[in-house]
């Protein structure tokens, strides 16, 4: 016999060995919530750690550059876990699986091929927060380009999922629940924010936006922040952490996807 506390915990995470492979981490909604939480927590964790260790009053050049700080392990682990969850996630149709899997692979590429060094030399006293340095100028150009392309494709695929896949439903527009309508609006807004953020970064990199204005206002970091938080929030909503349908409505109709 299980004690009440153990039984309660098992019920919360759906740990039921009477049903084959019915474990909480394999549930679609659980994966969605975890991806959303990790996505939104990534930036917060990076800023808190670098502030505590280096007293940085403002963020650094980009989220990817935190790889070179003492928070590099946090960046690597969280992004890798997100990637693995995206690869494991199956969704409700083959397209969901393939899109999320490719997004997860590109997320792993972001980790495996870091962006450019924070400093031009190892142990730069002017940038004491940079504790990692990658030698090898010959491969630096390819690595940085591959990193940028992978990061862009990772976010674009997540934007695609949010705009086109998360908004799908087995009901016509007029028959969808009120909260489903709200969720769809949020999904589309999040997708648009991701795409707009990437466009602004592209305009900054190509010189369309004045370099002094772009760099001075750290637009790479802030646009990446908008994109990452938007993607995390969309997945959190998709996991129905908030704006979930009430039990009565769910009992009367099939779950809207």
């Amino acid at each position: 016999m299980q004690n009440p506390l153990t039984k309660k915990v098992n019920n919360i995470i759906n740990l039921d060995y009477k049903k084959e492979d019915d474990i909480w981490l394999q549930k679609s909604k659980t994966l969605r919530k975890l991806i959303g939480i990790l996505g939104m927590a990534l930036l917060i964790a990076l800023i808190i750690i670098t502030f505590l260790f280096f007293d940085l009053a403002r963020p650094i050049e980009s989220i990817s550059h935190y790889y070179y700080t003492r928070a590099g392990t946090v960046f690597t682990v969280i992004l890798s876990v997100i990637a693995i969850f995206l690869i494991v996630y199956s969704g409700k149709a083959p397209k969901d699986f393939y899109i999320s899997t490719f997004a997860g692979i590109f997320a792993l590429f972001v980790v495996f091929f870091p962006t450019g060094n924070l400093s031009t030399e190892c142990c730069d006293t002017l940038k004491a927060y940079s504790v990692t340095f990658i030698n090898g100028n010959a491969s630096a150009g390819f690595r940085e380009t591959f990193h940028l392309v992978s990061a862009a494709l990772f976010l674009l695929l997540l934007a695609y999922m949010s705009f086109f896949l998360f908004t799908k439903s087995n009901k016509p527009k007029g028959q969808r629940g009120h909260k489903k309508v709200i969720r769809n609006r949020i999904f589309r807004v999040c997708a648009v924010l991701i795409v707009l953020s990437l466009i602004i970064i592209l305009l900054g990199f190509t010189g369309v936006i004045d370099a002094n204005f772009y760099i001075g206002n750290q637009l790479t970091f802030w646009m990446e922040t908008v994109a990452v938080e938007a993607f995390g929030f969309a997945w959190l909503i998709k996991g129905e952490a908030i704006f979930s349908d009430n039990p009565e409505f769910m009992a009367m109709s099939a779950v809207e996807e």
Side-chain angles (χ1 to χ4, degrees):
M1 293 290 293
Q2 295 178 339
N3 63 57
L5 178 59
T6 301
K7 187 176 181 179
K8 184 176 181 180
V9 172
N10 290 347
N11 288 335
I12 291 174
I13 64 176
N14 295 322
L15 188 61
D16 184 359
Y17 286 105
K18 295 180 181 178
K19 297 180 181 179
E20 185 177 359
D21 296 331
D22 192 14
I23 300 176
W24 72 286
L25 191 55
Q26 296 168 333
K27 303 293 185 180
S28 292
K29 286 186 180 180
T30 301
L31 282 173
R32 293 167 187 162
K33 289 174 185 175
L34 289 174
I35 291 171
I37 291 170
L38 289 171
M40 299 193 74
L42 173 61
L43 179 66
I44 297 172
L46 294 176
I47 291 178
I48 289 176
I49 291 173
T50 49
F51 177 79
L52 291 177
F53 282 102
F54 302 110
D55 196 25
L56 284 173
R58 58 183 298 181
I60 54 179
E61 298 173 26
S62 72
I63 294 177
S64 294
H65 277 104
Y66 280 92
Y67 174 89
Y68 295 100
T69 70
R70 192 164 292 179
T73 302
V74 174
F75 171 82
T76 301
V77 169
I78 291 181
L79 191 54
S80 296
V81 172
I82 290 174
I84 293 170
F85 283 167
L86 285 170
I87 293 172
V88 171
Y89 177 75
S90 61
K92 294 293 181 180
K95 182 183 286 188
D96 299 49
F97 170 75
Y98 291 123
I99 296 295
S100 66
T101 296
F102 278 114
I105 291 172
F106 285 122
L108 288 177
F109 284 159
V110 171
V111 176
F112 294 158
F113 298 87
T115 189
N117 288 305
L118 267 174
S119 303
T120 57
E121 60 182 6
C122 184
C123 304
D124 187 351
T125 56
L126 296 178
K127 294 184 177 180
Y129 51 86
S130 179
V131 297
T132 301
F133 183 85
I134 299 178
N135 286 316
N137 292 328
S139 62
F142 169 79
R143 189 187 75 241
E144 293 174 33
T145 301
F146 195 78
H147 174 90
L148 291 172
V149 171
S150 297
L153 290 174
F154 164 62
L155 290 171
L156 283 173
L157 287 172
L158 292 174
Y160 178 89
M161 292 190 74
S162 184
F163 197 95
F164 295 104
L165 302 185
F166 287 0
T167 55
K168 290 191 302 182
S169 174
N170 57 359
K171 296 179 179 297
K173 287 186 177 181
Q175 298 179 20
R176 296 175 186 176
H178 176 65
K179 290 185 179 179
K180 173 61 176 175
V181 173
I182 293 177
R183 292 198 298 270
N184 281 359
R185 290 173 181 170
I186 294 174
F187 295 145
R188 293 190 177 100
V189 169
C190 288
V192 170
L193 286 175
I194 293 172
V195 174
L196 286 177
S197 299
L198 292 176
I199 291 174
I200 292 174
I201 292 174
L202 178 62
L203 294 177
F205 283 3
T206 56
V208 176
I209 298 177
D210 179 71
N212 291 328
F213 176 83
Y214 185 85
I215 297 173
N217 289 282
Q218 296 180 292
L219 288 187
T220 297
F221 174 85
W222 291 116
M223 291 303 101
E224 287 177 346
T225 297
V226 171
V228 170
E229 293 300 311
F231 120 67
F233 190 64
W235 279 80
L236 206 57
I237 296 296
K238 186 60 177 175
E240 297 188 23
I242 53 177
F243 297 117
S244 61
D245 293 314
N246 58 54
E248 291 78 10
F249 179 82
M250 297 296 288
M252 292 171 57
S253 62
V255 179
E256 293 182 306
E257 291 295 338

